[in-house]
Amino acid sequence: MRADAKKNYSHILTIAREVLIEEGADASMRDIARRANVGLATLLRHFPTREALFEALLCTNLDALTQKAGELETSNSPGEAIMSWFREWMTFAQSYRGVVALMAAAHTNPDSALYASCAAVHSASARLLLRAQAEGAARADMNGDDMFGLMAALGWLVDLPSFAPRADHLVHLVTDAILTNRPGNGGKRKGGRKVVR
Amino acid sequence: MRADAKKNYSHILTIAREVLIEEGADASMRDIARRANVGLATLLRHFPTREALFEALLCTNLDALTQKAGELETSNSPGEAIMSWFREWMTFAQSYRGVVALMAAAHTNPDSALYASCAAVHSASARLLLRAQAEGAARADMNGDDMFGLMAALGWLVDLPSFAPRADHLVHLVTDAILTNRPGNGGKRKGGRKVVR
DNA sequence: ACCTGAACACCGTTCAAGT
DNA sequence: ACCTGAACACCGTTCAAGT
């Protein structure tokens, strides 16, 4: 990349972050270009789609998030890890209004620039769930898709202003549901080693 | 309303229903007008906003839904009522792709043509929850907003194709969480009459 | 009364023309 | 190499002009 292009690239990212935080994830690309003092075509060559722009914007946040997942996998109890993970996700979800809807859509579409990032979050979630299930700390009748689905659903909900105040409580309620073995499957800790801690 | 206007009105509704089912709740208004063989301005005078159009389209579904809530309030056990109600909502949510996102947004905005409909669903949910709480069948540490929030979240999730297959299961998981008195508040059936059935 | 085409200000996509 | 203005096909809003 040429020096002027490089400079443009990082300047665009800086401004885009500002605009998207102010206006939400569906801000106009034209608006971003305008505020960056750059031609719209220039913005779109650096980031051909909204997803591509977000991929670049989110990589910092997402790296922090997945790294956190790694830490949680070793340091905490499986149950506490699930709760912390969910809360980390909710913080991420509030980085940009509408970002979860964008990621949820990208999750289905392998061509999306956000697909890999979604997959990373998905698999981290699945790993944490599996570990909890192996220890009998999480209900056995759910899978990684369910886990990610609940995260997406609550992550989406939280950027509706009316629901944001109760978000923490809803997360508590849902993680509670994930972590408690309900009567129906409480005896099903088939493969899991007994809770030895 | 004049005879020709009346005819236009119902014809537009018929076509709009078709288009919105095919294309989802964010289909182009222009497209709807085109397919109804009507000027765009005509469509927009009958239904000045997308919300107004949906208000007219959904009133049948919503009447059925709220009526169902009334039945559930008397016929079933409070717990079963909550579960049935949630499932009814999920069926409604799948009537049009994106309709829950539309309603969730309208929920905050008193000027929206869908505001009253949202409020009706909200209050029906709150009533059913209160009854269940009074009998100690639902956890006491949540309110109508939480209930509606969970309904919105799962209703939104279900129109992402990747999550639709697991939706029933997630509803089961969440209603489970609502209905079981968790250890922390299991003893808190303060006002509730003992479960006498 | 009711309908409609057209003008308007937006959007993202695309590309020929500039440096 | 990289940038940009402009043309394009869309969108919802608005209104003067028709019946």
Side-chain angles (χ1 to χ4, degrees):
Chain A
M1 186 149 24
R2 236 165 54 180
D4 54 341
K6 185 97 189 168
K7 197 184 156 204
N8 251 341
Y9 181 89
S10 54
H11 178 239
I12 288 175
L13 270 185
T14 307
I15 302 296
R17 172 166 279 121
E18 285 178 22
V19 177
L20 290 168
I21 283 175
E22 283 176 31
E23 315 251 337
D26 50 356
S28 149
M29 296 292 271
R30 234 189 188 89
D31 210 34
I32 295 172
R34 264 192 298 257
R35 293 206 9 199
N37 286 320
V38 150
L40 171 58
T42 304
L43 167 61
L44 291 171
R45 201 164 29 74
H46 281 297
F47 309 103
T49 63
R50 185 179 302 277
E51 282 83 8
L53 175 56
F54 264 98
E55 203 279 328
L57 271 178
L58 291 174
C59 67
T60 314
N61 309 39
L62 284 169
D63 285 351
L65 195 66
T66 49
Q67 193 197 327
K68 187 76 183 177
E71 294 171 21
L72 289 170
E73 233 168 322
T74 59
S75 70
N76 288 73
S77 84
E80 284 168 10
I82 295 269
M83 290 192 294
S84 299
W85 173 243
F86 216 119
R87 280 194 291 263
E88 291 289 332
W89 165 256
M90 294 303 281
T91 303
F92 167 81
Q94 295 180 57
S95 56
Y96 301 91
R97 257 177 305 124
V99 71
V100 171
L102 206 65
M103 290 197 67
H107 178 242
T108 319
N109 175 17
D111 295 334
S112 166
L114 279 172
Y115 182 74
S117 303
C118 287
V121 175
H122 184 116
S123 75
S125 310
R127 268 200 310 279
L128 284 166
L129 177 65
L130 268 176
R131 187 173 73 118
Q133 286 173 324
E135 298 218 14
R139 47 192 298 161
D141 66 341
M142 59 181 288
N143 61 27
D145 289 338
D146 297 329
M147 178 77 187
F148 190 62
L150 290 170
M151 288 166 59
L154 292 193
W156 169 78
L157 191 68
V158 82
D159 54 38
L160 302 179
S162 39
F163 295 111
R166 304 288 291 179
D168 277 352
H169 186 242
L170 289 178
V171 169
H172 172 69
L173 194 151
V174 166
T175 50
D176 230 33
I178 295 171
L179 292 180
T180 307
N181 286 295
R182 319 269 38 277
N185 54 355
K188 282 192 193 165
R189 312 178 180 180
K190 12 187 178 182
R193 46 187 188 283
K194 222 42 189 293
V195 185
V196 195
R197 67 195 52 255
Chain B
M1 186 153 19
R2 235 167 51 181
D4 55 339
K6 187 95 187 169
K7 198 185 154 204
N8 251 341
Y9 181 89
S10 55
H11 178 240
I12 288 174
L13 270 186
T14 308
I15 303 296
R17 175 166 277 122
E18 286 177 21
V19 177
L20 290 167
I21 284 176
E22 284 175 31
E23 315 252 337
D26 51 354
S28 150
M29 296 293 272
R30 236 190 186 88
D31 210 32
I32 295 173
R34 264 193 297 257
R35 295 211 2 203
N37 288 319
V38 151
L40 172 58
T42 304
L43 167 61
L44 290 171
R45 201 164 29 75
H46 281 297
F47 309 103
T49 61
R50 184 180 303 278
E51 282 82 10
L53 175 55
F54 264 98
E55 203 279 328
L57 271 178
L58 291 175
C59 65
T60 313
N61 310 38
L62 284 169
D63 286 350
L65 195 67
T66 49
Q67 193 196 329
K68 187 74 183 179
E71 294 171 19
L72 288 170
E73 233 168 321
T74 59
S75 70
N76 288 74
S77 85
E80 284 167 9
I82 296 268
M83 290 192 294
S84 299
W85 173 243
F86 216 119
R87 280 193 293 261
E88 291 288 333
W89 165 255
M90 293 303 281
T91 303
F92 167 81
Q94 295 179 58
S95 57
Y96 302 91
R97 255 177 304 125
V99 71
V100 171
L102 206 66
M103 290 196 67
H107 178 242
T108 319
N109 175 17
D111 295 333
S112 166
L114 280 171
Y115 182 75
S117 303
C118 287
V121 174
H122 184 117
S123 75
S125 311
R127 268 201 311 279
L128 285 166
L129 176 66
L130 268 176
R131 188 173 71 119
Q133 287 173 324
E135 297 217 14
R139 46 192 301 162
D141 67 340
M142 60 182 286
N143 61 25
D145 289 340
D146 297 329
M147 179 76 188
F148 190 62
L150 290 170
M151 287 166 60
L154 292 194
W156 168 78
L157 191 67
V158 81
D159 55 37
L160 303 179
S162 39
F163 295 111
R166 305 288 292 179
D168 278 351
H169 186 241
L170 288 178
V171 169
H172 172 69
L173 195 151
V174 166
T175 51
D176 229 33
I178 295 172
L179 292 180
T180 307
N181 286 294
R182 316 272 36 276
N185 53 354
K188 282 191 193 165
R189 312 177 179 181
K190 13 188 179 180
R193 45 187 187 285
K194 217 53 188 283
V195 185
V196 196
R197 66 195 52 253

